[in-house]
Amino acid sequence: MHLHRETQRPWQWAVSGALAGAVNGLFGAGGGMVLVPLLLGWVGVEEKAAFACSTAIILPLCLVSAGVYWLRGALDPLAALPYLLGGLAGGWLGGRLFRRIPAAPLRRVFALFLLYGGVRYLL
């Protein structure tokens, strides 16, 4: 898996991460929806590597966002616990299946989630 094109610049990594972090902080999620297209189209990361990198990058972004929400009194960790447990199980399963699923179906499923989320927020 190749991570970067030779023409890419380190500032592109920082800008991509900053945009993903800003979206994640503003909306409480969604940094990966911004990050994957940036990694694919702007930075030049291969598809499967972009999905994997996004997952690794989103974890610290989510921790920072959750910490800010918690410090400002907007997060009840006990209310989030059932979702965390389900998310851990889903994350484990998705990680196990990742190598077995070709990039094209992953791209289509990702696009469907983006489309669903966009339509849902518009309505």
Side-chain angles (χ1 to χ4, degrees), residues 68-92:
V68 171
Y69 287 159
W70 181 69
L71 289 172
R72 294 183 175 236
L75 172 64
D76 178 2
L78 292 177
L81 186 61
Y83 305 103
L84 175 62
L85 296 175
L88 289 172
W92 178 83

Side-chain angles (χ1 to χ4, degrees), residues 1 3-4 9 17 22 33 36 41 43 75 77 100 107-109 112 116 120-121:
M1 242 186 284
L3 294 179
H4 307 293
R9 306 278 186 255
M33 289 190 286
V36 169
V43 178
L75 172 64
R100 297 179 184 166
R107 183 177 0 135
R108 288 184 188 106
V109 170
L112 287 173
Y116 170 76
R120 179 117 165 104
Y121 279 111

Side-chain angles (χ1 to χ4, degrees), residues 9-69:
R9 306 278 186 255
W11 63 269
Q12 289 175 300
W13 309 334
V15 171
S16 298
L19 289 172
V23 167
N24 209 65
L26 285 171
F27 302 115
M33 289 190 286
V34 171
L35 190 57
V36 169
L38 285 171
L39 291 175
L40 290 172
W42 193 41
V43 178
V45 176
E46 290 180 0
E47 279 184 291
K48 290 201 78 168
F51 287 114
C53 286
S54 176
T55 301
I57 294 164
I58 291 304
L59 174 62
L61 296 181
C62 287
L63 291 173
V64 168
S65 296
V68 171
Y69 287 159

